[in-house]
Amino acid sequence: MSSYYSLFNFIVEGILLIIVGGLGVIGNLLCIIWFSRKKVQKSFHRLMLTLAVYDGVYVLLSIILFGLPSVNNKMFEYGWFNHVFCTLLPFAQIGLTGSIYLTLSIAIERYTTVCHPFFKLSHSWSATLYIIPISMFSVLYNIPKFYEHVVEDKIVPIQDVDGSVFNITQSEIKATELRENESYVKIYLIILNLLVHGIIPLLLLTILNIVVYKQLYGMRNTGPDTSDGFIHHKEIKLAQVSLVIVAVFIICHAVRWVPNIWELKQSQEDSKDKSVAWPVWIDYTTSLSHLLTVFSSSVNFYIYTYKHFQNQDSRNNSIFARGRNSIPMQETQITHC
């Protein structure tokens, strides 16, 4: 492995991932506290809270599984870490799957609220109808991940400087027969993962985001700011938050499927030549994708709070401006009286 990639991996998948992930863990904890303490629990709030749980799990485990080994390349020499790695990796995948589909559920919830408000009012869907199926699917879909790797311990004789020989135990992570099965790799790890984690959610999120954006653009200058208008304004604010979250998600997650698409293309060639070299740019892209995926799962609370206070300031300024404009009118009425 080149020294250039080692430096790139150390900075991107090591230092930056740990920094971004650390902020992400804090942000997701604040998100859980923020939404759990809201007196009025909208479906959007409950979905954001659950998303923060899955994002928090994924970010924390990514720091342990990818960030720390990139900073300290001797981590896999420790037997305990190999066992930790094999145990936690499937849970990181569960967190990622839940994060993907909860983001999709938030986009769907905002789509129905903004584009079909009457349907939303007549069909009051609880957030549980999203959360439970997604949680079950996230676990069931990733069950095979628990059987892909195993830690093997072996006794290695070591000769001391004085000529005496003693044994030490070394452990290493090895792929199981399931993980090395060509059909399993091609169907589940490449094709199915590309569809379930990539094409389907990214395509739906893109379409929903475009439709909601067009609807919000058309509604931008409509309606007086009455009490009903304030409720309408709050729904628009939440839709704006969803738009930004989904946009960040699409950009960050699109990168992580570049290696999978390349691998799928190679698998379709049906070549028996196993000597095809793994391109260096794939390694760079993989390291970058880990950072971007962690970033996507780390910024949701910061996006929400920024948009929340930005819209609150805009609304306060609007109310203040109307209050000032109403004073001359009152004075004029008094004069005419």
Side-chain angles (χ1 to χ4, degrees):
M1 188 173 294
S2 68
S3 58
Y4 292 105
Y5 172 72
S6 298
L7 179 61
F8 179 85
N9 186 67
F10 175 79
I11 295 174
V12 173
E13 197 172 359
I15 302 299
L16 292 180
L17 188 147
I18 292 174
I19 294 174
V20 172
L23 294 174
V25 171
I26 296 172
N28 282 303
L29 286 175
L30 292 175
C31 188
I32 294 171
I33 296 172
W34 180 290
F35 287 112
S36 64
R37 296 180 64 181
K38 277 190 172 292
K39 294 180 180 179
V40 179
Q41 290 284 337
K42 294 177 176 288
S43 292
F44 178 87
H45 299 150
R46 293 172 183 170
L47 290 173
M48 282 290 292
L49 190 154
T50 311
L51 175 61
V53 173
Y54 279 92
D55 278 342
V57 169
Y58 176 73
V59 171
L60 179 61
L61 295 184
S62 292
I63 293 174
I64 298 172
L65 299 175
F66 306 121
L68 295 180
S70 296
V71 172
N72 180 9
N73 54 17
K74 294 184 178 180
M75 291 293 292
F76 287 104
E77 295 180 6
Y78 306 136
W80 63 267
F81 182 78
N82 291 336
H83 288 279
V84 168
F85 186 90
C86 290
T87 302
L88 296 184
L89 185 60
F91 289 101
Q93 294 294 327
I94 291 173
L96 180 61
T97 304
S99 174
I100 291 172
Y101 282 92
L102 281 165
T103 303
L104 179 59
S105 70
I106 289 174
I108 294 173
E109 193 272 341
R110 286 296 92 190
Y111 167 77
T112 57
T113 301
V114 174
C115 300
H116 302 284
F118 296 108
F119 176 84
K120 182 68 179 293
L121 289 173
S122 60
H123 299 77
S124 183
W125 291 349
S126 170
T128 307
L129 295 178
Y130 295 103
I131 296 171
I132 293 180
I134 289 174
S135 298
M136 293 177 61
F137 173 75
S138 299
V139 174
L140 293 175
Y141 180 79
N142 289 289
I143 286 179
K145 297 288 185 182
F146 288 90
Y147 303 98
E148 287 186 358
H149 298 93
V150 65
V151 178
E152 285 191 0
D153 296 324
K154 57 182 180 180
I155 306 299
V156 179
I158 300 295
Q159 186 173 9
D160 204 349
V161 291
D162 59 358
S164 60
V165 178
F166 61 94
N167 296 328
I168 63 171
T169 302
Q170 291 183 347
S171 63
E172 60 179 346
I173 299 174
K174 286 194 173 182
T176 61
E177 292 184 5
L178 176 66
R179 181 61 178 82
E180 293 180 340
N181 184 279
E182 291 185 4
S183 299
Y184 174 81
V185 171
K186 185 175 181 179
I187 296 174
Y188 178 76
L189 293 183
I190 300 178
I191 298 177
L192 200 55
N193 273 349
L194 184 61
L195 290 173
V196 173
H197 283 168
I199 295 176
I200 294 175
L202 290 180
L203 182 62
L204 290 176
L205 286 170
T206 302
I207 294 173
L208 291 172
N209 241 28
I210 293 173
V211 173
V212 171
Y213 175 80
K214 288 183 177 180
Q215 185 73 8
L216 290 179
Y217 184 81
M219 296 163 55
R220 188 171 54 179
N221 299 317
T222 62
D225 198 6
T226 60
S227 59
D228 292 336
F230 178 63
I231 297 175
H232 181 65
H233 175 80
K234 287 166 62 178
E235 297 295 348
I236 290 178
K237 179 192 71 176
L238 297 179
Q240 292 172 341
V241 172
S242 174
L243 283 176
V244 179
I245 289 175
V246 171
V248 172
F249 179 93
I250 292 173
I251 294 171
C252 292
H253 279 254
V255 177
R256 62 186 289 264
W257 289 111
V258 174
N260 294 76
I261 294 173
W262 179 88
E263 193 173 3
L264 176 62
K265 180 181 176 182
Q266 294 299 316
S267 68
Q268 295 299 325
E269 292 180 357
D270 291 330
S271 174
K272 294 185 179 181
D273 181 15
K274 303 298 183 180
S275 62
V276 179
W278 186 262
V280 177
W281 65 267
I282 292 289
D283 292 325
Y284 283 91
T285 305
T286 301
S287 296
L288 180 62
S289 70
H290 286 159
L291 173 62
L292 292 178
T293 308
V294 168
F295 177 81
S296 175
S297 295
S298 300
V299 298
N300 293 340
F301 177 72
Y302 300 107
I303 292 172
Y304 176 85
T305 51
Y306 172 77
K307 296 295 292 185
H308 173 80
F309 290 110
Q310 182 188 49
N311 282 276
Q312 193 173 52
D313 290 341
S314 302
R315 179 171 174 76
N316 290 339
N317 291 335
S318 176
I319 294 174
F320 178 71
R322 286 198 306 273
R324 291 184 61 184
N325 292 335
S326 66
I327 293 176
M329 184 179 295
Q330 292 174 351
E331 292 177 346
T332 303
Q333 291 171 346
I334 294 173
T335 304
H336 284 301
C337 292

